[in-house]
């Protein structure tokens, strides 16, 4: 039987539950996720690193077989807290990943209580609405070190290299300035947004050695508009993980507008 290759995907996951509430400023995001879901086979397993889970002591892995949801947002209508996404976990694979990463010298914490946050269930509900794809969530390391997260992505890709049709999903946002979301875009700030998006996509797509590409991604704070677009780094680090899994130029790039700001989605097919 022909093997179905693994993939690595970075997505910009939008504002809280709004993509699931038919909020018009998220139409582009919903369309991008629907398109991406048709470009790859439905995975047998999704391993998600979300910007909304940081573990200070190491990398945490949710090993629950029946994870609930964590509504980690506030101020929305009741419908935002009635969202259901009853996907299963995958305890066996989660424990295997924990063991594998520990052997790479990464401190691991086993999580058996935390629910899947909105950086997980919102995009998965849009991509796989039947909740029929098992999901394992892994945290970012609270040290927020870029090189560490590139290497974490590489370790995860190596860990699942012998499995078929696994999707490694980095769920973040290439623009994440909370004050700017409240004010809305104006000419100067839109310029910062475009500059950083242009730099990011050039860095990922331009011909260069992978060592040079990695160095540029690690030094992202020096890019034009970077610190306006990413005052804190947790929403960009899932991209470092997704890139680290592939360590090459992406096969697909989609740019769309979310809440008035340009944001990117990137897809890689992983080598066997």
């Amino acid at each position: 039987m022909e093997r179905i290759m693994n993939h690595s995907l970075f997505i910009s996951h939008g504002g809280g539950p709004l993509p699931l509430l038919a909020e018009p400023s998220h139409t582009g995001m919903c369309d991008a996720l629907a398109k991406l879901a048709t470009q790859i086979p439905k995975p047998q397993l999704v391993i998600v690193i979300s910007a909304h889970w940081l573990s200070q002591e190491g990398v945490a892995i949710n090993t629950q077989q029946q994870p609930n949801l964590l509504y980690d947002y506030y101020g929305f209508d009741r419908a935002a807290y009635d969202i259901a996404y009853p996907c299963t976990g995958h305890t066996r694979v989660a424990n295997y990943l924990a063991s594998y990463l520990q052997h790479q010298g990464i401190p691991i914490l086993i999580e058996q209580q935390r629910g899947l946050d909105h950086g997980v269930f919102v995009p998965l509900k849009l991509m796989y609405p039947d909740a029929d794809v098992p999901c394992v969530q892994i945290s970012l390391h609270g040290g927020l070190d870029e090189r560490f997260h590139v290497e974490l992505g590489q370790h995860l890709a190596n860990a699942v290299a012998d499995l078929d049709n696994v999707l490694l999903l980095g769920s973040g946002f290439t623009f994440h300035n909370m004050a700017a979301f409240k004010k809305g875009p104006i000419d100067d700030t839109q310029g910062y947004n475009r500059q950083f998006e242009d730099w990011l996509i050039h860095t990922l797509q331009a011909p260069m050695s992978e060592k040079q590409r990695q160095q540029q991604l690690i030094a992202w704070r020096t890019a034009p508009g970077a610190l306006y677009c990413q005052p804190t780094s947790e929403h960009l680090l899932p991209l470092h993980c997704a890139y680290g899994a592939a360590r090459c130029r992406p096969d697909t790039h989609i740019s769309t507008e979310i809440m008035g700001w340009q944001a990117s989605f990137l897809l890689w097919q992983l080598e066997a």
Side-chain angles (χ1 to χ4, degrees):
M1 181 180 295
E2 184 177 354
R3 179 172 184 190
I4 301 176
M5 302 301 291
N6 297 336
H7 289 82
S8 179
L9 173 64
F10 171 80
I11 65 165
S12 293
H13 62 223
L18 292 175
L20 299 179
L21 302 178
E23 205 281 328
S25 70
H26 286 77
T27 299
M29 172 193 160
C30 295
D31 290 346
L33 290 177
K35 180 178 180 180
L36 288 163
T38 66
Q39 288 188 349
I40 60 174
K42 179 181 281 190
Q44 296 296 310
L45 171 69
V46 182
I47 298 170
V48 187
I49 298 176
S50 164
H52 290 275
W53 190 13
L54 277 66
S55 175
Q56 297 298 329
E57 302 301 321
V59 171
I61 298 179
N62 191 326
T63 64
Q64 298 173 81
Q65 190 63 30
Q66 300 291 334
N68 58 4
L69 301 187
L70 174 63
Y71 303 108
D72 55 332
Y73 39 71
Y74 60 91
F76 294 95
D77 292 339
R78 181 68 249 170
Y81 306 93
D82 291 334
I83 294 168
Y85 193 72
C87 70
T88 65
H90 203 308
T91 299
R92 179 178 60 80
V93 172
N95 285 326
Y96 162 71
L97 292 173
S99 176
Y100 185 94
L101 293 175
Q102 279 183 319
H103 278 91
Q104 308 307 313
I106 296 174
I108 295 296
L109 293 85
I110 298 299
E111 175 57 57
Q112 297 179 316
Q113 307 237 342
R114 186 184 190 274
L116 305 177
D117 62 59
H118 77 269
V120 180
F121 69 79
V122 169
L124 290 186
K125 191 173 179 71
L126 290 166
M127 296 180 76
Y128 308 115
D130 293 334
D132 54 353
V133 179
C135 173
V136 172
Q137 184 175 2
I138 297 178
S139 78
L140 295 172
H141 190 296
L144 301 179
D145 179 81
E146 287 80 7
R147 187 179 303 277
F148 174 90
H149 287 92
V150 171
E151 293 173 353
L152 176 61
Q154 182 175 354
H155 290 316
L156 289 172
N158 291 340
V160 300
D162 292 333
L163 304 179
D164 282 0
N165 199 14
V166 175
L167 177 62
L168 299 177
L169 176 61
S171 179
F173 208 149
T174 56
F175 181 91
H176 194 259
N177 180 321
M178 296 303 292
F181 285 138
K182 293 176 183 178
K183 293 178 182 178
I186 57 177
D187 288 345
D188 287 348
T189 57
Q190 281 187 312
Y192 298 146
N193 180 203
R194 286 192 296 269
Q195 288 172 2
F196 185 62
E197 286 288 314
D198 289 348
W199 173 87
L200 188 61
I201 300 313
H202 177 266
T203 297
L204 287 165
Q205 293 185 328
M208 67 179 78
S209 71
E210 293 313 311
K211 181 178 180 180
Q212 182 181 5
R213 198 184 318 278
Q214 178 176 321
Q215 288 172 338
Q216 291 193 23
L217 286 172
I218 288 170
W220 65 270
R221 290 177 178 81
T222 63
L227 295 181
Y228 182 82
C229 297
Q230 299 284 343
T232 57
S233 63
E234 77 285 342
H235 274 74
L236 199 62
L237 289 176
L239 173 58
H240 289 77
C241 292
Y243 164 75
R247 301 178 304 286
C248 64
R249 288 184 282 180
D251 299 296
T252 300
H253 167 239
I254 297 174
S255 179
T256 192
E257 188 176 285
I258 304 175
M259 296 184 286
W261 304 94
Q262 288 297 307
S264 287
F265 300 70
L266 298 135
L267 175 67
W268 293 261
Q269 179 174 286
L270 302 183
E271 294 183 0

